[in-house]
């Protein structure tokens, strides 16, 4: 874990090394000041037989001022370098996590919830940033101050310094107990943050559904419950941590009383000077405050350990799908062959999602795919672009096993329009250029014409420069689908997969899109998943899926004669009242 996190310090190593150096310099200057103060009292105020020595007071006063200025300077520089190092460390952590997430396959992403990844990138990284800054500054300052103050105390009076030693041992044990108990509660808090973020994300992304079903009160109550869970845990943790204050005050005042009492007797016996007693009291505060800082450091580090583990889980996660040593970088054509393919999302699953699938699709064919909900239609096409790997058997694209391709090259030749269409905040042109970042406006317009999107874009005030809100909330479902189809067409793929991506358009528009595909991209293999038989009946062949198995693979007319499942679906749809839009041409 330390190696993984340490690799993210990178260009901030210099800042990370300079910070503790300046913090030690600050401590040394602070340690010198009580000695100079003792010299002023003993040799300046009480010097020359009690008449005082102003020259000595001035000289030592100047030295005290210089020490204070140096201490201040070192403290400022330590804070500046420490802040830069910790902020840079946090930046590198976020960047490394985000870059690694981009390499994840779907199976990797399935291991982490979206809200969990958001918490890791925000709350957990912030905890690591605060902890790292505290380690560089306080974790170096507190022990150094404790050791220096203790050493100077023993030099002045071993008898009085032994009081510190006992106090440190007692206070250390008590603070260790407090930290141990508080840590249990802090560790429990982070999974609760995931639940809170999940509640917020789910509510915001589905706000229209929430309002449509008048579930605002339910969502507020759910958020309140998640928030209260975090509140209760932190109340318990802070309720334990606050004992630091009373225990520290009791120890400090006990030490002050004992040192004052014993020190006064030693002054009377002339075994201790007044200035030395003042120094001892100052060192007393330094030692005990160092312990207080150490206790808070332990709490922060303990909190950050839980965050560090969660961050390392993401950084150390390796993509399940990797390129072979010498990958194939050219997809010859759009032919597809499933050879005894079985697939399950989890390796230890009892039952496969896809079972012994055998299919052969020629390049340029239009293939329809129908089946009931849960029949594994989407799972079938997800294997083609290697979003998942097959569990058994082989899947070949262009005559080559998909595992032998370079993943980027394969996916560049397979355009997928998923069920859940996603548009990003930006103009329509910017969204379309996800398909081809070098596409001209004319090429974008042509793709939109094929997808029947140009007609509604032209009616928008800014045309192709119209701004799309996050998630495409300012366009309808059908418009969003057509924009996503146009985006996929700009890739000029060898295989085009439409996963129920015309469900929100009317039958006539659906027919025009299919006609445009047939005329404009005849060499592209087209796989169309649909619920309406009218969307696939003109395909070269139709795959009938049921419970993860291929129950039929033939043209429309042949399936009507030979496939009972297909015939039942066809009869059910044809006997209905039909669509409310105009009849498809």
């Amino acid at each position: 874990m330390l190696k993984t996190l340490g690799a993210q310090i990178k260009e901030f190593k210099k800042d990370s090394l300079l910070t503790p150096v300046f913090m030690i310099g600050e401590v040394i200057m602070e340690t010198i000041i009580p000695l100079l103060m003792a010299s002023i009292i003993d040799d300046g105020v009480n010097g020359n037989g009690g008449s005082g020595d102003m020259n000595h007071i001035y000289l030592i006063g100047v030295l005290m001022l210089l020490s204070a200025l140096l201490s201040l300077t070192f403290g400022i520089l330590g804070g500046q370098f420490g802040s830069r190092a910790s902020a840079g460390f946090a930046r590198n952590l976020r960047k490394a996590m985000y870059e690694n997430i981009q390499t994840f396959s779907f199976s990797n992403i399935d291991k982490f919830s979206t809200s969990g990844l958001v918490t890791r990138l925000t709350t957990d990284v912030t905890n690591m940033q605060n902890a790292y800054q505290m380690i560089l500054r306080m974790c170096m300052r507190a022990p150094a101050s404790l050791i220096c103050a203790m050493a100077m105390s023993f030099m002045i009076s071993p008898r009085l310094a032994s009081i510190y030693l006992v106090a440190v041992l007692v206070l250390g044990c008590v603070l260790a107990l407090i930290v141990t108990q508080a840590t249990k509660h802090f560790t429990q808090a982070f999974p609760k943050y995931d639940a809170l973020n999940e509640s917020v994300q789910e509510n915001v992304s589905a706000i229209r559904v929430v309002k449509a079903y008048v579930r605002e009160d339910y969502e507020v109550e759910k958020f309140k419950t998640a928030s209260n869970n975090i509140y209760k845990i932190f109340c318990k943790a802070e309720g334990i941590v606050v004992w630091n204050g009373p225990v520290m005050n009791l120890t400090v005042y006990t030490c002050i009383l004992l040192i004052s009492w014993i020190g006064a007797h030693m002054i009377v016996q002339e075994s201790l000077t007044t200035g030395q007693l003042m120094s001892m009291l100052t060192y007393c505060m330094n030692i005990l405050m160092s312990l207080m800082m150490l206790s808070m450091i332990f709490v922060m580090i303990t909190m950050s350990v839980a965050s560090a583990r969660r961050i390392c889980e993401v950084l150390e996660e390796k993509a399940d799908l990797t390129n072979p040593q010498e990958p194939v970088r050219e997809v010859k054509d759009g032919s597809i062959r499933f050879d005894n393919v079985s697939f399950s999302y989890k390796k230890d699953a009892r039952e496969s999602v896809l079972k012994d699938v055998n299919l052969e699709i020629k390049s340029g064919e239009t293939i329809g795919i129908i089946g009931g909900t849960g029949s594994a239609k989407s799972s079938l096409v997800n294997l083609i672009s290697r979003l998942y790997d097959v569990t058994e058997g082989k899947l070949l694209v262009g005559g080559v096993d998909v595992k032998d391709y370079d993943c980027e090259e394969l996916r560049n030749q397979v355009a997928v329009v998923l069920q859940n269409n996603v548009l990003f905040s930006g103009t329509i042109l910017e969204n379309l250029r996800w398909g081809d970042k070098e596409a001209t406006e004319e090429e974008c317009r042509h793709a939109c014409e094929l997808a029947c999107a140009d007609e509604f874009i032209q009616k928008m005030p800014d045309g192709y420069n119209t701004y799309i809100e996050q998630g495409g909330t300012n366009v309808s479902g059908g418009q969003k689908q057509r924009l996503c189809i146009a985006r996929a067409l700009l890739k000029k793929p060898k295989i085009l997969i439409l996963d129920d991506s015309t469900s929100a358009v009317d039958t006539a528009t659906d027919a025009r899109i299919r006609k445009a595909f047939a005329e404009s991209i005849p060499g592209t293999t087209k796989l169309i998943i649909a619920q309406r038989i009218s969307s696939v009946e003109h395909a070269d062949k139709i795959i009938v899926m049921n419970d993860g198995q291929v129950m039929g693979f033939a043209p429309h007319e042949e399936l009507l004669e030979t496939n009972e499942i297909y015939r039942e679906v066809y009869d059910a749809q044809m006997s209905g009242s039909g669509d409310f839009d105009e009849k498809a041409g």
Side-chain angles (χ1 to χ4, degrees):
M1 185 170 72
L2 291 176
K3 184 179 179 181
T4 301
L5 296 174
Q8 303 309 319
I9 297 172
K10 296 180 180 177
E11 68 270 32
F12 298 99
K13 290 179 181 177
K14 181 180 177 182
D15 296 318
S16 299
L17 291 173
L18 286 175
T19 301
V21 170
F22 286 122
M23 299 315 298
I24 291 174
E26 182 186 16
V27 168
I28 292 172
M29 291 299 104
E30 287 183 353
T31 305
I32 291 173
I33 290 175
L35 287 178
L36 297 175
M37 183 176 65
S39 179
I40 286 179
I41 294 173
D42 294 337
D43 301 324
V45 177
N46 296 331
N48 291 334
S51 60
D53 184 351
M54 291 303 297
N55 290 330
H56 185 80
I57 291 173
Y58 290 144
L59 175 61
I60 301 301
V62 170
L63 292 177
M64 286 183 67
L65 180 61
L66 289 174
S67 296
L69 289 174
L70 282 173
S71 177
L72 177 63
T73 302
F74 289 149
I76 291 172
L77 289 173
Q80 181 179 351
F81 284 109
S83 297
R84 187 185 303 164
S86 59
F89 177 57
R91 184 200 70 182
N92 289 343
L93 279 178
R94 289 192 182 96
K95 182 182 177 184
M97 289 172 68
Y98 194 79
E99 287 178 348
N100 200 39
I101 289 170
Q102 301 308 306
T103 69
F104 287 177
S105 66
F106 280 18
S107 56
N108 292 114
I109 294 173
D110 290 343
K111 295 179 183 178
F112 305 97
S113 67
T114 305
S115 57
L117 288 173
V118 170
T119 305
R120 284 168 167 83
L121 284 163
T122 52
T123 304
D124 287 323
V125 172
T126 300
N127 286 338
M128 288 301 301
Q129 178 179 345
N130 294 335
Y132 189 59
Q133 184 172 32
M134 190 169 280
I135 288 170
L136 292 179
R137 297 183 64 195
M138 296 298 102
C139 206
M140 187 58 66
R141 174 188 168 84
S145 180
L146 179 66
I147 292 169
C148 289
M150 189 68 77
M152 299 304 292
S153 298
F154 272 97
M155 285 176 58
I156 295 172
S157 173
R159 182 182 174 187
L160 289 178
S162 62
I163 297 174
Y164 298 156
L165 191 59
V166 174
V168 166
L169 293 175
V170 173
L171 192 58
C173 292
V174 174
L175 292 180
L177 180 64
I178 291 173
V179 169
T180 303
Q181 294 301 315
T183 298
K184 296 177 183 177
H185 298 294
F186 282 125
T187 305
Q188 295 171 2
F190 296 105
K192 303 297 182 183
Y193 272 118
D194 290 351
L196 184 68
N197 283 338
E198 184 177 7
S199 176
V200 173
Q201 181 186 5
E202 190 175 53
N203 178 270
V204 173
S205 62
I207 191 67
R208 294 186 177 188
V209 178
V210 173
K211 291 189 175 296
Y213 284 87
V214 196
R215 298 285 282 177
E216 291 91 343
D217 292 340
Y218 170 78
E219 288 295 321
V220 168
E221 191 61 34
K222 188 168 73 170
F223 177 84
K224 186 188 293 185
T225 300
S227 182
N228 278 337
N229 288 335
I230 297 175
Y231 166 76
K232 289 174 183 177
I233 289 174
F234 273 101
C235 278
K236 289 178 181 178
E238 295 295 341
I240 296 171
V241 171
V242 293
W243 282 96
N244 270 357
V247 172
M248 178 63 67
N249 288 334
L250 178 63
T251 307
V252 168
Y253 292 126
T254 300
C255 286
I256 290 173
L257 287 172
L258 289 173
I259 291 169
S260 299
W261 177 262
I262 298 173
H265 282 79
M266 292 176 69
I267 291 173
V268 172
Q269 296 169 3
E270 297 185 353
S271 59
L272 189 73
T273 65
T274 304
Q276 288 175 329
L277 178 60
M278 293 296 295
S279 298
M280 292 294 289
L281 290 172
T282 303
Y283 288 134
C284 171
M285 293 300 296
N286 287 349
I287 290 170
L288 298 177
M289 290 309 295
S290 296
L291 277 177
M292 174 67 88
M293 279 191 281
L294 281 174
S295 70
M296 297 311 297
I297 290 169
F298 287 138
V299 171
M300 178 59 73
I301 289 177
T302 305
M303 287 176 61
S304 67
V305 165
S307 293
R309 288 197 189 100
R310 287 158 56 84
I311 289 171
C312 286
E313 284 177 4
V314 177
L315 290 176
E316 293 173 356
E317 179 75 13
K318 301 297 182 184
D320 291 341
L321 306 182
T322 55
N323 287 335
Q325 289 186 345
E326 296 182 4
V328 178
R329 298 188 179 276
E330 182 181 358
V331 180
K332 183 180 177 182
D333 55 46
S335 62
I336 304 166
R337 193 175 90 203
F338 288 82
D339 189 0
N340 296 316
V341 168
S342 293
F343 169 71
S344 58
Y345 286 101
K346 294 183 179 179
K347 294 179 180 179
D348 57 350
R350 294 182 180 179
E351 190 174 348
S352 296
V353 176
L354 288 169
K355 305 158 192 172
D356 197 27
V357 176
N358 287 281
L359 292 169
E360 186 156 357
I361 301 168
K362 295 177 183 178
S363 181
E365 282 190 320
T366 298
I367 305 297
I369 305 174
I370 68 165
T373 303
S375 60
K377 303 185 297 296
S378 297
S379 299
L380 181 77
V381 296
N382 282 340
L383 298 176
I384 296 171
S385 55
R386 208 187 171 201
L387 298 178
Y388 293 96
D389 266 341
V390 301
T391 307
E392 296 177 16
K394 282 187 177 182
L395 171 56
L396 291 82
V397 171
V400 177
D401 192 326
V402 291
K403 293 181 180 179
D404 294 333
Y405 280 113
D406 174 80
C407 281
E408 285 191 14
E409 184 59 36
L410 174 64
R411 290 170 186 168
N412 276 332
Q413 296 302 323
V414 181
V416 183
V417 184
L418 299 171
Q419 277 179 305
N420 298 321
N421 299 286
V422 177
L423 294 176
F424 299 89
S425 52
T427 65
I428 289 177
L429 278 176
E430 288 170 345
N431 271 277
L432 291 172
R433 284 172 178 151
W434 273 69
D436 178 5
K437 60 183 178 182
E438 303 298 333
T440 64
E441 185 170 344
E442 187 58 38
E443 288 174 324
C444 292
R445 191 184 302 275
H446 178 64
C448 288
E449 288 172 354
L450 294 178
C452 297
D454 183 67
E455 55 191 36
F456 73 81
I457 295 174
Q458 296 290 359
K459 295 176 182 178
M460 291 182 168
D462 298 319
Y464 282 82
N465 291 311
T466 299
Y467 190 83
I468 300 295
E469 301 293 340
Q470 185 178 9
T473 55
N474 58 332
V475 290
S476 69
Q479 291 171 339
K480 191 187 296 185
Q481 285 186 337
R482 283 177 276 174
L483 285 173
C484 290
I485 292 171
R487 181 174 64 188
L489 289 173
L490 278 171
K491 290 184 72 173
K492 301 179 178 66
K494 288 186 169 64
I495 300 172
L496 175 64
I497 299 171
L498 304 178
D499 188 352
D500 205 15
S501 52
T502 57
S503 58
V505 301
D506 59 68
T507 311
T509 303
D510 185 17
R512 292 205 303 274
I513 292 173
R514 284 188 280 107
K515 183 180 178 183
F517 286 172
E519 295 175 353
S520 302
I521 50 172
T524 297
T525 304
K526 298 165 280 291
L527 303 179
I528 304 171
I529 297 176
Q531 299 296 332
R532 295 188 301 230
I533 285 183
S534 60
S535 297
V536 297
E537 63 180 333
H538 299 291
D540 296 312
K541 290 182 181 178
I542 300 168
I543 300 170
V544 181
M545 300 286 298
N546 184 48
D547 194 26
Q549 294 179 301
V550 175
M551 306 305 293
F553 182 45
H556 169 71
E557 292 78 8
E558 185 178 331
L559 287 174
L560 282 177
E561 294 178 5
T562 62
N563 192 281
E564 185 178 349
I565 296 175
Y566 187 81
R567 188 166 55 250
E568 287 179 0
V569 174
Y570 179 81
D571 290 340
Q573 291 189 5
M574 293 302 103
S575 63
S577 57
D579 295 317
F580 285 97
D581 49 68
E582 64 175 294
K583 186 177 180 181

